[in-house]
Amino acid sequence: QVQLAESGGGLVQPGGSLRLSCAASRSIFSGDAMGWYRQAPGKQRELVASITITSGTSTNYADSVKGRFTISRDNAKNMVHLQMNSLKPEDTAVYYCNAKIRTPWRINDYWGQGTQVTVSS
């Protein structure tokens, strides 16, 4: 089991920046993916960004956030961050931290409680 706790959400004006952080309750193998998803009212939860670290760092971003958001991971502190720049009103959503932890039999999904991001003037 692992618990994930997000922080850093809030209200920001269009064009502004926020940095989300997610702290895991224990170490997570760097080869297991960690990432951020978001869910806006009336919409399905969608992947924002994910990161794995094996022989190198592999990141994946939704097209809508490429060039504006940057995901990073600090394995020593069991944390993953999402730097969000040039925020738009359509980025408004609840943002969830996710960890996909592999076992010999399956991949287990773990989720945080979510943090609200509101982009509005």
Side-chain angles (χ1 to χ4, degrees):
Q1 290 287 340
V2 61
Q3 285 76 47
L4 303 172
E6 303 98 337
S7 61
L11 173 65
V12 64
Q13 292 187 342
S17 298
L18 281 175
R19 185 175 189 244
L20 304 183
S21 295
C22 172
S25 60
R26 63 165 177 83
S27 63
I28 296 174
F29 174 56
S30 60
D32 288 334
M34 293 193 72
W36 292 91
Y37 288 69
R38 67 186 181 187
Q39 187 166 18
K43 295 187 178 181
Q44 289 189 333
R45 191 173 296 188
E46 63 175 357
L47 174 69
V48 177
S50 66
I51 183 169
T52 57
I53 302 175
T54 52
S55 58
T57 300
S58 177
T59 57
N60 182 40
Y61 294 94
D63 288 343
S64 59
V65 307
K66 284 180 180 176
R68 300 188 297 122
F69 292 10
T70 302
I71 189 169
S72 61
R73 187 166 174 174
D74 186 341
N75 286 327
K77 297 182 178 179
N78 304 327
M79 297 191 72
V80 64
H81 306 282
L82 185 68
Q83 178 66 43
M84 305 186 295
N85 299 327
S86 303
L87 283 160
K88 304 176 180 180
E90 51 264 42
D91 294 318
T92 295
V94 177
Y95 284 69
Y96 297 91
C97 181
N98 171 264
K100 297 187 183 300
I101 297 177
R102 294 171 294 175
T103 72
W105 309 275
R106 58 181 289 175
I107 298 174
N108 293 316
D109 268 304
Y110 295 91
W111 297 93
Q113 293 295 312
T115 185
Q116 177 70 46
V117 171
T118 302
V119 184
S120 175
S121 55

